[in-house]
């Protein structure tokens, strides 16, 4: 095809890509090209608008570095991250619901003992978080690794805030045979996603606020179980209904209860008053090796 025009454009590109040997890549690129062309036909952008889009994506990339990930924010604020998450967790299961990873996870957080504090500067209202990790039948999971991170009392992650020591409010904990976990930190705060970049200007142009309701992040892994990446949200937060990244799920909202009990505070090594939050995580088993072969055999026998 030599006559590349408004009507032949899509087919021309799809035909050019048709020799791709990677079947999945060919499928994805067919979708990308078809939908991109459909957007252009529907919107009929001017050259200025098209150039703005290119410049927007260019600037989005240029802001990214080892501590700032503007493309994840873009995906999050357009609801794409949660859609990918929903599609990949369609299973019908009692396991803890997942939500966005977000751009502030740092690998290699310190491995701590149960009861330790992840707050390295002691700033904020004391918080005691506890619960257990169990399977779908309620049996405790020993050896589960909880990777925890959260904002400071005033809504910043350590990587955004030069006032905080490195690895502040981050830690990893491994459960014992009883599956229980407990640690100390400070009450997290609702916070704006970074709004000094392209995503912030997009939200402002759309009349949207950049706020996320207060939460604590968890990634929980255990051998033989499907890992879960999730948050525990603070009940009553004013942004639960309008999370900038659409990450809230009802099952992940828990009360953070204010306690005024000096003797309890003393026993757990916190200042009084303090807050407590409790959440029990449920992990689903990974399919045992060969399970899909059994079901295929059954299908063949039935068929
Ligand atoms: Fe967060």
């Amino acid at each position: 095809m030599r006559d590349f025009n408004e009507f032949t454009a899509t087919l021309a590109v799809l035909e050019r890509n048709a020799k791709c040997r990677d079947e999945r890549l060919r499928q994805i690129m067919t979708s990308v090209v078809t939908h991109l062309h459909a957007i252009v036909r529907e919107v009929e952008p001017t050259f200025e608008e098209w150039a703005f889009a290119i410049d927007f994506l260019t600037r989005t990339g240029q802001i990214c570095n080892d501590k700032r990930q503007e493309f994840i924010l873009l995906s999050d604020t357009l609801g794409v991250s949660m859609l990918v998450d929903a599609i990949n967790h369609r299973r019908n299961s009692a396991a803890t619901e997942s939500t966005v990873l977000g751009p502030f996870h740092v690998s290699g957080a310190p491995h701590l003992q149960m009861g330790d504090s992840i707050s390295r500067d002691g700033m904020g209202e004391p918080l005691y978080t506890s619960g257990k990790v169990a399977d779908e039948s309620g049996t405790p999971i020993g050896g589960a690794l909880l990777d925890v991170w959260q904002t400071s009392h005033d809504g910043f992650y350590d990587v955004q805030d030069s006032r905080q020591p490195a690895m502040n409010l981050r830690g990893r904990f491994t459960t014992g045979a009883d599956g229980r976990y407990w640690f100390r930190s400070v009450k997290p705060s609702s916070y704006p996603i970074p709004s000094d970049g392209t995503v912030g200007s997009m939200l402002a142009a759309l009349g949207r606020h950049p706020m996320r309701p207060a939460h604590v992040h968890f990634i929980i892994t255990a051998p033989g179980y499907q890992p879960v990446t999730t948050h525990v949200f603070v009940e009553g937060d004013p942004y639960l209904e309008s999370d900038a990244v659409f990450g809230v799920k009802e099952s992940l909202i828990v009360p953070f209860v204010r306690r005024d009990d000096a003797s309890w505070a003393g026993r757990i090594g916190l200042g009084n008053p303090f807050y407590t939050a409790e959440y029990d995580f449920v992990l689903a088993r990974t399919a045992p090796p060969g399970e899909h072969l059994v079901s295929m055999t059954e299908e063949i026998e039935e068929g």
Side-chain angles (χ1 to χ4, degrees), residues 100-104 149-151 157 189 191 193 212-217 231:
V100 283
L101 172 68
F104 297 116
W149 69 106
Q150 63 163 84
T151 64
Y157 290 91
S189 169
Y191 65 88
I193 58 168
R212 296 215 62 210
H215 56 268
V216 179
H217 289 262
H231 306 356

Side-chain angles (χ1 to χ4, degrees), residues 12 16 24 58 115 122 136 151 163 176 202 216 240-241 244 255 275 295 299-300 303:
R16 194 75 58 87
R24 178 66 171 159
T58 305
E136 288 168 290
T151 64
R163 300 167 305 167
M202 178 188 78
V216 179
L240 286 169
E241 303 296 328
Y275 286 83
S295 61
E299 272 169 33
I300 291 163

